[in-house]
């Protein structure tokens, strides 16, 4: 059984990298020594004030943190219920929350003396963030991206190339995020001595889920301070979208032990949860299994073969989810909802027109559930949604879906 | 307890030669042909048979074995049917050791107890599960050992002396030394270092050590067979199979023989290894 004390949701993972049943280190032997090295290096960095000072400096001068907490007045007015705030991580350098995690990992790679960085990417935001940090520190950067996503997210492919990264289109499987991760793992197994694998979400073998969460927790920490300044109290609810779950856990984690805060994660329901292999909602439609180094909820068939999943959003169509979310769901601490492609597209348009903010398709899923929840709540209910990315990368894909605007 | 694997390596030691360990993907290119291939392997000179359990996401495999897994899945292969394949093979061969190799998820989804019972009943002797390092021994390794199956672990160039004991602790049957950091089918390693690596591992265990990854030719099999207790060949066999296929990856009249012919060559290489070394 797990060693989590039931009176805190914030102490995981245990020494084996487990969040209850979930997490762990399910990797090939070749990688195992490196993963243990990484854990050691991260544990050392975590208690080193110089490491935190370096991150804080980059946050202020390179990323542009703290990101604002913005009261979405017209959205609030239109929905006629809860008071809605956006945490504006889409204003970060490179346009999403991904940079928070990447800078932490790249500083760690530098400490470990690794000169070659690899990453997987779906929407391209993590790839762009990784290419950016590698440019800044003069590191070699190779990004694996499913060939389908290379098509869907062309602007980001160009950005990565401009930044000096090599983008490798992955042709195996469904040629999306899962396959990009397989290919990155194959690269890592091959080049394990000199290479650091910069994982883009709160998943993978221990210590990645905890480490990525820690780097992303700046989001929730800032929200705590900002909402105290704005409202003089904690929020009543939090909402974030979930691909692998990094922006969500970053917002949620600092609030997990505040029982008064309701927490909602939003998975991608694609064409609908009832459509076979037509969605990417691993919690709603999956079951526990082992993939990419961790045990978590996965979309799969009866034989344990992994399904591809679908979402209009290239950042959400991953058949798994970070292990901490799997645990939080089973513990009942976080409620997981899902939004369809269509709901996300509607939210995308509404937000653009009402607030002058073009959201990425990923947070548009979170927004879709804000649009559903807010009208049912009283006007003094304070709701914070993570606007974790901007929609520049998506405008062409959206235009296509809307029949060429 | 002694398994078919233990018995086979003991016998080969008295013959002073290394074992030829052959890998084929279960269900590749279709289930009946796959059974014919497995049945043909011992006669062609395979001493131990590894059968791949196909998985959609084989993270440690190169393009050849990835494609083999997909061919098998497209042909309707499942874990249950892989176990059936072994049972069918056992009807005509009760001596050649069979090792199932693959990834943990299909086993976990079937249920560890249920899988081990079925594997034992089918006549499986050992398991190689790529994504279960010693840190996760409670999952499958310990239950498998209890059920009387060998759990064969990979040791790699990154497994240093400090780590070797923990890798070897619950390993049985043989140790599979992966001669390079990389995926299956990767470039040929520096054979000159293989002997030293085998010696390093043998310093920590009495188990036989088989060497794989990158072995493609009879020559390579001969060189490694002189330095190790076993030579593992996978990608080369899978490639020979693939090259025999017709349109739409369908088996042809040549498919079984294409695999058998290569295995005969490899076997001749392995069998001449110690003699060549002695001269
Ligand atoms: C803007 C944005 N939001 C969300 C995600 C999903 O990832 P995660 O769930 O780790 O936040 C992505 C992934 O590419 C993204 O680009």
């Amino acid at each position: 059984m797990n060693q989590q004390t039931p009176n805190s949701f914030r102490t995981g993972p245990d020494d084996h990298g487990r969040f209850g049943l979930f997490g762990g280190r399910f990797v090939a032997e070749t990688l195992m020594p490196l993963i243990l090295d990484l854990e050691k290096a991260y544990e050392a960095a975590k208690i080193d004030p110089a490491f935190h000072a370096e991150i804080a400096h980059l946050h202020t001068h390179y990323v542009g943190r703290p990101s604002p907490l913005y009261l979405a007045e017209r959205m609030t007015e239109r929905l006629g219920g809860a008071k809605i705030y956006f945490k504006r991580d889409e204003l970060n350098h490179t346009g999403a929350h991904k940079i928070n995690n990447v800078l932490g990992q790249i500083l760690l790679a530098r400490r470990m003396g690794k000169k070659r960085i690899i990453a997987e990417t779906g929407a391209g935001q993590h790839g762009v963030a990784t290419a950016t940090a590698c440019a800044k520190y003069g590191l070699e950067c190779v990004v694996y991206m499913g060939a389908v996503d290379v098509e869907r997210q062309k602007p980001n492919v160009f950005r990565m190339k401009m930044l000096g990264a090599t983008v490798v289109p992955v042709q195996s499987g469904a040629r999306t995020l899962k396959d990009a991760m397989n290919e990155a793992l194959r690269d890592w197994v091959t080049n394990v001595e000199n290479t650091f694998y910069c994982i883009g979400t709160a998943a993978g073998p221990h210590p990645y889920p905890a480490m990525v969460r820690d780097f992303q927790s700046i989001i929730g920490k800032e929200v705590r301070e900002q909402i105290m300044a704005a409202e003089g109290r904690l929020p009543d609810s939090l909402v974030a979208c979930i691909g692998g779950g990094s922006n969500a856990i970053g917002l949620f984690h600092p609030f997990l032990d505040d029982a008064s805060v309701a927490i909602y994660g939003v998975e991608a329901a694609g064409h609908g949860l009832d459509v076979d292999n037509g969605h990417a909602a691993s919690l709603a439609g999956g079951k526990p299994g082992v993939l990419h180094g961790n045990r978590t909820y996965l979309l799969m068939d009866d034989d344990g073969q992994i399904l591809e999943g679908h979402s209009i959003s290239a950042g959400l169509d991953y058949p798994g989810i970070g292990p901490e979310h799997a645990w939080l769901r089973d513990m009942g601490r976080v409620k997981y909802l899902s939004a369809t492609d269509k709901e996300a597209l509607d939210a995308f348009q509404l937000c653009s027109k009402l607030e002058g903010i073009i959201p990425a398709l990923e947070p548009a899923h979170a927004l879709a559930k804000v649009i559903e929840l807010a009208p049912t709540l009283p006007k003094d209910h304070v709701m914070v949604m993570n606007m974790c990315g901007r929609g520049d990368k998506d405008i062409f894909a959206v235009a296509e879906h809307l029949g060429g605007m | 307890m002694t398994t078919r694997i233990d018995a086979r390596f003991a016998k080969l030691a008295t013959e002073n030669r290394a074992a030829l360990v052959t890998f084929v993907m279960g269900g590749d290119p279709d289930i009946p042909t796959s059974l014919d291939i497995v049945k043909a392997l011992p006669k062609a000179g395979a001493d131990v048979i590894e059968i791949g359990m196909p998985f959609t996401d084989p993270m440690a495999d190169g393009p050849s074995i990835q494609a083999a897994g997909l061919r098998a899945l497209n042909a309707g292969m499942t874990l249950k049917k892989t176990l059936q394949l072994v049972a069918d093979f056992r009807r005509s061969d009760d001596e050649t050791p069979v090792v199932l190799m693959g990834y943990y998820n299909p086993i976990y989804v079937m249920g560890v107890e249920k899988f081990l019972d079925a594997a034992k009943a089918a006549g499986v002797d050992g398991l190689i599960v790529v994504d279960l390092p010693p840190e996760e021994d409670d999952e499958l390794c310990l239950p498998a050992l209890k059920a009387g199956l060998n759990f064969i672990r990979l040791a790699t160039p990154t497994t240093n002396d400090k780590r070797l004991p923990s890798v070897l602790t619950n390993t049985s049957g043989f140790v599979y030394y992966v001669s390079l950091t990389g995926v299956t089918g990767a470039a040929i390693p520096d054979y000159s270092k293989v002997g030293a690596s085998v010696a390093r591992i043998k310093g920590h265990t009495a188990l036989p050590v088989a060497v794989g990854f990158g072995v493609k030719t009879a020559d390579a099999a001969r060189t490694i067979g002189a330095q190790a207790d076993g030579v593992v060949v996978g990608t080369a066999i899978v490639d020979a199979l693939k090259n025999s296929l017709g349109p739409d990856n369908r088996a042809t009249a040549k498919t079984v023989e294409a695999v058998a012919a290569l295995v005969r060559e490899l076997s001749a290489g392995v069998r001449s290894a110690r003699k060549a070394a002695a001269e």
Side-chain angles (χ1 to χ4, degrees):
Chain A
M1 283 312 291
N2 71 74
Q3 276 91 55
Q4 317 276 348
T5 53
N7 49 7
S8 175
F9 291 100
R10 304 185 65 231
T11 56
D14 67 16
D15 291 344
H16 302 284
R18 297 289 181 93
F19 300 90
L21 175 67
F22 303 104
R25 286 178 287 218
F26 296 88
V27 297
E29 171 60 24
T30 309
L31 295 179
M32 205 52 227
L34 192 84
I35 280 177
L36 295 174
D37 281 354
L38 172 63
E39 185 181 352
K40 225 184 283 162
Y42 179 55
E43 290 304 320
K46 221 161 65 173
I47 52 168
D48 180 356
F51 183 71
H52 293 283
E54 209 174 352
I55 290 184
H57 181 86
L58 287 169
H59 278 167
T60 308
H61 300 283
Y62 195 64
V63 181
R65 300 206 76 94
S67 67
L69 185 68
Y70 164 78
L71 175 61
E73 283 182 88
R74 292 191 69 208
M75 187 68 85
T76 299
E77 199 176 299
R78 167 70 70 98
L79 298 177
K83 195 168 177 185
I84 298 157
Y85 284 90
F86 293 161
K87 176 59 172 167
R88 302 281 311 271
D89 256 52
E90 103 278 13
L91 293 176
N92 293 344
H93 180 41
T94 70
H97 65 291
K98 298 287 180 188
I99 191 82
N100 303 330
N101 164 44
V102 164
L103 288 172
Q105 287 197 47
I106 296 299
L107 292 185
L108 201 57
R110 279 162 54 85
R111 287 181 157 230
M112 294 177 75
K114 304 283 180 186
K115 299 270 189 285
R116 180 174 179 271
I117 309 295
I118 58 171
E120 86 295 338
T121 197
Q125 290 302 119
H126 175 61
V128 167
T130 306
T132 297
C134 288
K136 176 171 164 54
Y137 288 108
L139 299 166
E140 183 188 349
C141 180
V142 179
V143 179
Y144 291 92
M145 187 169 188
V148 168
D149 292 338
V150 167
E151 268 317 296
R152 279 201 282 192
Q153 309 275 279
K154 271 194 198 129
N156 275 343
V157 175
F158 186 65
R159 287 165 83 198
M160 286 184 268
K161 288 184 177 165
M162 286 300 294
L163 292 159
T166 305
V167 180
V168 182
V170 175
Q171 300 290 354
S172 58
R175 298 174 291 148
T176 60
L177 184 52
K178 154 178 101 78
D179 312 290
M181 194 144 182
N182 287 334
E183 215 49 43
L185 282 163
R186 290 180 187 121
D187 178 314
W188 202 23
V189 166
T190 307
N191 302 296
V192 63
E193 298 290 350
N194 70 342
T195 297
F196 186 99
Y197 182 13
C198 183
I199 296 185
T201 191
H206 178 65
Y208 282 98
M211 179 170 76
V212 174
R213 172 200 69 201
D214 293 346
F215 292 142
Q216 290 294 1
S217 288
I218 184 70
I219 300 171
K221 285 181 198 151
E222 286 176 6
V223 167
R224 271 187 98 89
E225 281 182 23
Q226 291 166 321
I227 203 75
M228 291 307 284
E231 297 282 342
R233 65 179 182 89
L234 292 181
D236 297 297
S237 60
L238 305 171
V239 186
C241 68
I242 303 213
S246 70
N247 87 86
I249 202 71
L251 174 64
F252 299 168
H253 197 258
F255 294 95
L256 288 177
D257 285 338
D258 298 290
S260 68
V261 182
I263 305 182
Y264 300 97
V266 183
E267 298 189 287
H271 301 309
L273 292 181
D274 51 351
V275 178
D276 243 13
N277 207 11
H279 64 83
S282 1
L283 290 178
K287 55 187 174 182
V290 173
L291 179 71
H292 293 156
N294 57 181
R295 174 160 35 222
T296 188
Y297 279 84
L298 298 171
L299 299 176
M300 56 182 153
D301 69 13
D302 294 339
D303 188 41
Q305 306 298 338
I306 308 301
L307 299 175
E308 308 294 354
H310 159 83
S311 168
I312 188 174
S313 147
L316 302 185
D317 69 349
Y318 179 68
I321 181 167
E324 194 163 9
H325 287 290
W327 178 73
L328 288 168
R329 166 225 157 103
D330 281 8
M331 300 300 287
R333 175 61 187 102
V334 177
K335 194 162 167 47
Y336 293 88
L337 312 169
S338 60
T340 63
D341 289 353
K342 175 159 189 322
E343 290 174 310
L345 278 169
D346 291 347
F348 180 97
Q349 294 172 83
L350 188 67
C351 185
S352 303
K353 292 201 174 113
L354 285 183
E355 295 293 346
I357 296 171
I358 301 179
L361 278 172
E362 291 81 15
H365 286 70
L367 193 58
K369 293 297 115 169
V370 169
I371 290 170
E372 198 175 288
L373 291 167
T376 69
L377 296 164
K379 286 194 187 332
D380 63 353
H381 181 109
V382 173
M383 178 178 269
V384 177
M385 189 207 89
N386 199 7
M387 182 61 77
C388 59
R390 66 177 86 125
D392 308 34
K393 68 183 174 62
D394 294 314
I395 49 177
F396 302 111
V398 170
E400 218 167 276
H401 277 278
L402 298 179
M405 298 183 358
Chain B
M1 101 213 78
T2 306
T3 66
R4 290 186 192 90
I5 298 173
D6 301 328
R8 179 58 51 104
F9 275 99
K11 176 165 169 273
L12 295 184
T14 66
E15 292 174 19
N16 188 30
R17 71 172 179 88
L20 174 62
V21 182
T22 55
F23 172 93
V24 292
M25 181 62 74
D28 176 27
D30 60 71
I31 297 170
T33 307
S34 183
L35 178 59
D36 289 343
I37 290 172
V38 172
K39 281 181 172 169
L41 289 173
K43 215 184 299 160
D47 299 301
V48 177
I49 298 175
E50 285 180 14
I51 299 179
M53 301 174 277
F55 182 49
T56 39
D57 295 79
M59 300 165 328
D61 284 303
S64 292
I65 292 181
Q66 284 176 46
L70 282 184
R71 287 195 296 272
L73 289 173
N74 288 336
M77 201 51 165
T78 61
L79 182 52
K80 245 193 217 150
K81 291 178 185 167
T82 304
L83 292 166
Q84 186 58 48
L85 179 78
V86 178
D88 291 343
F89 169 72
R90 275 280 167 255
R91 254 181 262 164
S92 58
D93 186 325
D94 197 34
E95 274 180 22
T96 308
V98 171
V99 174
L100 292 184
M101 179 165 185
Y103 297 81
Y104 185 39
N105 195 54
I107 295 171
Y108 178 72
V109 168
M110 177 181 278
V112 165
E113 289 304 314
K114 194 174 155 197
F115 168 76
L116 289 175
D117 287 349
K120 194 79 191 148
V124 173
D125 303 291
L127 304 174
I128 300 177
V129 182
V130 178
D131 51 355
L132 284 177
E135 281 73 5
E136 304 292 353
D137 267 358
D138 292 343
E139 295 282 336
L140 179 65
C141 173
L142 298 180
L145 294 177
K146 225 169 107 194
L149 291 172
N150 286 135
F151 199 83
I152 296 140
R153 195 110 53 192
L154 308 187
T156 74
T158 60
T159 313
N160 54 33
D161 284 329
K162 209 172 115 235
R163 195 174 157 73
L164 253 180
S166 70
V167 168
L168 295 171
T169 298
N170 293 317
T171 300
S172 65
F174 62 96
V175 180
Y176 184 165
Y177 180 66
V178 174
S179 54
L180 47 83
T181 60
V183 293
T184 50
I188 291 157
D190 180 357
Y191 293 134
S192 65
K193 288 198 192 130
V194 165
S197 304
V198 170
R200 179 169 77 93
I201 294 169
K202 283 187 167 288
H204 292 266
T205 181
L207 289 171
V209 178
V211 175
F213 278 42
V215 185
K216 295 206 162 89
T217 61
D219 254 3
R222 181 179 303 119
T223 311
I224 291 186
Q227 307 173 66
D229 304 308
V231 181
V232 189
V233 186
T235 297
I237 295 174
V238 166
D239 284 343
L241 184 158
K242 158 123 211 326
N243 292 336
S244 76
L245 299 179
D248 300 331
N249 285 327
R250 252 180 267 152
T252 63
K254 285 184 269 171
T255 297
V256 175
E257 175 51 25
V259 171
L262 175 61
V263 171
R264 279 195 297 271
E265 272 178 46
L266 293 165
S267 171
V270 168
R271 280 161 202 263
S272 67
R274 306 268 167 93
K275 278 177 222 142
E279 274 156 23

